[in-house]
Amino acid sequence: MRFGVSLPCFGTDVDAAVIADWAHTAEAAGWDGFFLWDHLFAFADGPIDVVDPWIALTAAACATSRIRLGTLVTPLPRRRPVVVARQTVTLDRLSGGRLTLGVGSGAFPFEWDYVGEEGDHRTRGEMLDEHLDLLDRLWTGEPVRHEGRHYRAAGPEWSAICYPPPLQRPRVPVWVGGSWPGTRPFVRAARWDGVVPMRDGPWEVAHTAAVAARMRELRGDLTGFDIAVPGESSGSDAARGELHAAHADAGATWWIEAVHPWRTDLPDRDWVHVARGRLEAGP
């Protein structure tokens, strides 16, 4: 099992330079992955600093050489497929093939209804599926013609060519996020390269085992497929190795350490330094 950290793209004094420092710190401490949330607004009354995760991850890519980078998760229905193709390919090539794209259909009305985006959750799911299929084709670097219900990349005697393709083959790995237990997100995830299950409350070993069983049922074979489970562990907790091993035995391939200001076990002080301290402690 590999170990990643997941951090908000917002917080007091958080900027792209801080994100780059966090990523460098995480790599030096032995983490395998560094992932940012993708939100437009902070989860509290402002003003609170918010950074664009893609620009911040570009800074992180320039500050690191080994650690895997990505978003957990990007709500694709509020982004344009051709723009996402350009951004992901650019970052994948800049990082030397270290990008993972986490995706979801999104939540919270202040990032959808209140800013004029699609408010219906089922429609966003349809948009997500169409977006992913189109993005996968755009990543080939070959001519693409697409005229779908929600997206278009076609014109008279014209096809979209997003060249060059990503450095990774056959594509940038796609992990699909979804609330557990659920149906549609996990059926969707089975078609791609990994799943990022979420739930309200603690994530238990039994949940990991249930997700692994569901993915095995849907895919038939989990070879090359990632199950990235959420969790919280203390860098000074001697028992964390047993916790990690239990999830690995249950089917997890990644432990994603959630590092955020709402953790009650982290010091209640300057968030930038608190987060850095947890990263320095390693997995």
Side-chain angles (χ1 to χ4, degrees):
M1 187 167 70
R2 289 183 285 180
F3 300 90
V5 289
S6 169
L7 297 108
C9 61
F10 53 80
T12 302
D13 295 327
V14 171
D15 59 20
V18 166
I19 298 296
D21 176 68
W22 281 350
H24 178 78
T25 300
E27 182 172 83
W31 296 95
D32 302 300
F34 181 86
F35 303 99
L36 286 182
W37 302 3
D38 187 343
H39 288 287
L40 298 174
F41 303 99
F43 292 178
D45 294 335
I48 296 174
D49 303 274
V50 181
V51 298
D52 180 90
W54 291 99
I55 293 176
L57 285 171
T58 299
C62 294
T64 58
S65 61
R66 175 192 61 81
I67 200 167
R68 182 154 285 273
L69 305 167
T71 51
L72 289 181
V73 295
T74 288
L76 281 189
R78 63 171 164 80
R79 293 180 176 271
R80 305 302 300 177
V82 173
V83 175
V84 173
R86 291 297 189 199
Q87 290 173 325
T88 51
V89 168
T90 299
L91 185 52
D92 191 56
R93 286 182 165 269
L94 175 67
S95 66
R98 292 186 282 134
L99 178 63
T100 293
L101 177 62
V103 302
S105 58
F108 309 115
F110 57 83
E111 296 195 327
W112 297 93
D113 309 53
Y114 301 169
V115 291
E117 298 287 355
E118 176 57 57
D120 181 70
H121 190 78
R122 181 172 291 275
T123 301
R124 292 205 302 268
E126 295 174 357
M127 294 172 71
L128 175 55
D129 286 329
E130 185 179 337
H131 194 308
L132 283 172
D133 289 339
L134 176 54
L135 182 60
D136 192 34
R137 294 167 62 200
L138 292 170
W139 276 337
T140 66
E142 299 294 329
V144 173
R145 290 184 61 85
H146 178 84
E147 296 182 70
R149 178 179 178 186
H150 302 287
Y151 303 107
R152 177 186 175 94
E157 300 181 359
W158 181 88
S159 300
I161 303 177
C162 288
Y163 194 85
L167 200 59
Q168 297 181 86
R169 287 288 187 268
R171 60 171 173 250
V172 171
V174 174
W175 292 356
V176 177
S179 295
W180 180 263
T183 302
R184 292 178 63 86
F186 295 90
V187 172
R188 179 179 297 119
R191 297 176 49 224
W192 297 95
D193 309 299
V195 65
V196 186
M198 312 168 194
R199 73 183 298 270
D200 291 332
W203 187 264
E204 307 290 350
V205 173
H207 298 132
T208 296
V211 170
R214 178 64 171 144
M215 291 297 98
R216 191 174 292 107
E217 175 188 341
L218 290 167
R219 288 176 56 89
D221 183 5
L222 296 183
T223 302
F225 185 82
D226 281 309
I227 299 176
V229 302
E232 297 178 6
S233 62
S234 168
S236 60
D237 184 0
R240 69 185 186 278
E242 296 178 8
L243 175 65
H244 297 158
H247 282 278
D249 290 343
T253 63
W254 279 83
W255 171 275
I256 305 297
E257 182 79 21
V259 182
H260 54 72
W262 300 278
R263 282 183 56 163
T264 58
D265 64 321
L266 295 179
D268 184 16
R269 55 185 180 85
D270 180 20
W271 168 240
V272 168
H273 291 94
V274 169
R276 195 178 197 279
R278 180 61 191 93
L279 300 178
E280 287 176 334

